[in-house]
Every structure is written in C-alpha cells, then in structure tokens.
Amino acid sequence: MKTITIGTQTAHVGETAELCRALADEVETLLKERAAEGRLAVLGLATGSTPLPFYDELIRRHREEGLSFSNAVTFNLDEYEGLGREHERSYWHEMWCNLFDHLDIKAENVSVPPSVSEDPDRDAAAYEEAIREAGGIDWQLLGIGGEGHIGFNEKGSAIDTRTRRVTLARKTIVDAAPGFGGEDKVPTHAITMGVATILEARRVVLMARGASKREIVKRAMTGEVSSEVPASFLQNHQNAGWFLDEEAAGSGSDA
Ligand code: PGA
C-alpha cells in the first residue's frame, strides 16, 4: 500500500486485500484499546459491495485470531424504506449475513435504521439520540455512490443534515436495480444518517474500489466542497482517510 496526495488529501492506495488489512488494523486497535479500558467502541458501518472483503477480514481475525467484538457497538448508515428486516436486500439482512452473524457482537449493540416506520421523523431523531447516548461514533466507514453520495445523502444533501427520510436519486436506483431484479422493485425512499451525523465521527474512512468510482472519487477529493458531491465534505474533516484501489485512484500521478 502506498500513500499519495490527491488535491489536498492523502489517499492510501493498494490492492483490496491491503486496504482491508489496514482498515481492519484500525478497528482492531480501537476494539483492543477500549477493551483494555473496559469501554465500548462505537463503529459506524456501511453496506454495498465495497466493504465486503473488509468484513471478511474482520471475520477472519475473529475466527483465527480471536479478535473479540463483544465491546463493539455499531450503527449502520442507512436502510431502504419499506422492505422490512427479513427482506434479503434489506441492509439489516445484509449486515447480519455478511458480518454480524459471524462475530461475537451482542445483538442489542447493533443498530440499523428502521426499514418500516410509522413515524420516520421520530425514529430518525431516536437514531441520532442513540448515537449520542453511545458517546458518538469513534470510527465511521463509508462507500461512495456514483454521484458522490455518502450513506444515502444524495447530491444536494447539506452539511448540516441529520438522520432523516430521503428520496433516492435516479442513479442510486439504477445502480441498485440488478440486485432487486429491476428498477421498479427498488425502494424509492430510505432513511439515512445525515452528513452532519457522519462528520461528527472522530475518524471517517471512505473506501472505493474499481474504475467506475475513479471520476467521482477525483471530484470528491479535488473538487469544490459542496452538497453537489456530499463526499467532498470529507475534505474538511480533521481525521478522514481515503482508501482506494488502483482503479479507483487512477494512475496516482495525475489523480
Ligand atoms: P457500492 O455502494 O459499495 O455497492 O459501490 C457504495 C455506495 O453507494 O455508497
């Protein structure tokens, strides 16, 4: 893995396996430091295809090296509206299948925004409150959408947004369609942590893989900081890290 400068930002660039090990090292250090102090570690987690090999590395460390998640508290970024937890495309379901089922994390320490809600405003406020009560997020993982969303904070999401119900962008629906068997089956709404919620995390890491992310990663890292590309807000975070494979980073020299 190498460290390169892109615009004003520092990016860690390497093979997926190297990126995953580096990210897992951060989580392992946090979990162990907190365990030694008898405290909880608060992780903000993401769904999508990007973090899957990272989750595999966490599972491997738990199984083979005994890394314990018994002091981990997790908050997921977002959830589709209306699917229900048991739906195989719900983020609740994906997180349990791809990660939580394979760790010693306590079920009561896992939070994913509700997919079904009678009162989304109330539930969004309760989600914010739960994060605050846990002491805030220590370590937040992000992917990046094709138009620069973080969580489901689509283009136009302001820096002061909080957890709330949102309308999904057309591009987000098109990108999700293969997994749902057609655009018409993708939910049109979701609940997401806000940009402000994300930026309050003490450490924020954005992971991007593949050439399809190259252009938007470049805009997010070097373009104007604006709600046009919500990931660009990371440029001004005190402790943000960009973890990119070679394809997402471009050549490195002109990126
Ligand atoms: P992906 O999604 O990891 O499936 O590319 C990332 C995102 O939309 O945030």
Side-chain angles (χ1 to χ4, degrees):
M1 199 169 69
K2 63 189 177 193
T3 301
I4 63 172
T5 301
I6 301 180
T8 58
Q9 304 291 301
T10 301
H12 306 283
V13 180
E15 304 275 335
T16 292
E18 295 176 301
L19 304 175
C20 294
R21 282 198 297 272
L23 292 169
D25 284 348
E26 292 195 12
V27 170
E28 178 168 344
T29 300
L30 178 68
L31 287 168
K32 287 182 171 169
E33 277 177 7
R34 289 297 165 83
E37 298 164 356
R39 293 170 61 203
L40 298 170
V42 185
L43 307 176
L45 298 178
T47 45
S49 57
T50 304
L52 293 178
F54 163 65
Y55 292 155
D56 287 344
E57 174 62 10
L58 294 182
I59 293 165
R60 191 197 65 74
R61 288 185 191 203
H62 171 64
R63 285 198 179 139
E64 295 177 13
E65 298 170 8
L67 178 63
S68 177
F69 290 76
S70 59
N71 67 325
V73 172
T74 65
F75 290 92
N76 260 81
L77 281 168
D78 48 13
E79 178 60 285
Y80 288 115
E81 182 178 272
L83 296 181
R85 282 181 174 180
E86 306 313 321
H87 192 287
E88 63 172 9
R89 288 272 81 85
S90 84
Y91 285 167
W92 170 275
H93 190 265
E94 289 199 9
M95 286 307 298
W96 277 95
C97 287
N98 296 325
L99 184 65
F100 302 138
D101 268 337
H102 312 284
L103 303 177
D104 62 342
I105 193 163
K106 298 185 178 99
E108 66 267 28
N109 285 351
V110 166
S111 291
V112 179
S115 175
V116 176
S117 171
E118 284 175 10
D119 187 343
D121 289 348
R122 182 200 61 201
D123 288 347
Y127 206 70
E128 289 278 331
E129 183 55 27
I131 293 171
R132 263 193 301 276
E133 271 179 20
I137 293 171
D138 292 306
W139 190 92
Q140 175 68 57
L141 175 66
L142 301 173
I144 183 169
E147 290 180 326
H149 73 201
I150 47 176
F152 277 137
N153 292 287
E154 305 285 25
K155 188 172 167 174
S157 297
I159 192 165
D160 60 355
T161 46
R162 291 280 162 189
T163 303
R164 68 205 185 286
R165 179 176 189 259
V166 291
T167 304
L168 295 178
R170 171 100 191 113
K171 166 90 172 125
T172 299
I173 290 175
V174 169
D175 287 350
F180 281 88
E183 282 174 35
D184 54 333
K185 300 200 176 62
V186 182
T188 53
H189 291 78
I191 181 165
T192 184
M193 276 187 204
V195 175
T197 322
I198 291 167
L199 294 178
E200 278 171 9
R202 289 179 273 277
R203 167 80 169 153
V204 180
V205 296
L206 185 146
M207 187 180 190
R209 302 193 287 123
S212 67
K213 298 290 171 71
R214 183 181 303 174
E215 201 51 46
I216 194 64
V217 163
K218 187 172 178 182
R219 277 187 75 196
M221 295 185 74
T222 65
E224 188 192 348
V225 175
S226 121
S227 58
E228 275 299 289
V229 180
S232 68
F233 289 122
L234 262 61
Q235 287 184 38
N236 292 337
H237 191 280
Q238 296 294 311
N239 191 12
W242 305 81
F243 289 76
L244 314 173
D245 72 1
E246 298 280 356
E247 290 73 24
S251 67
S253 53
D254 66 345

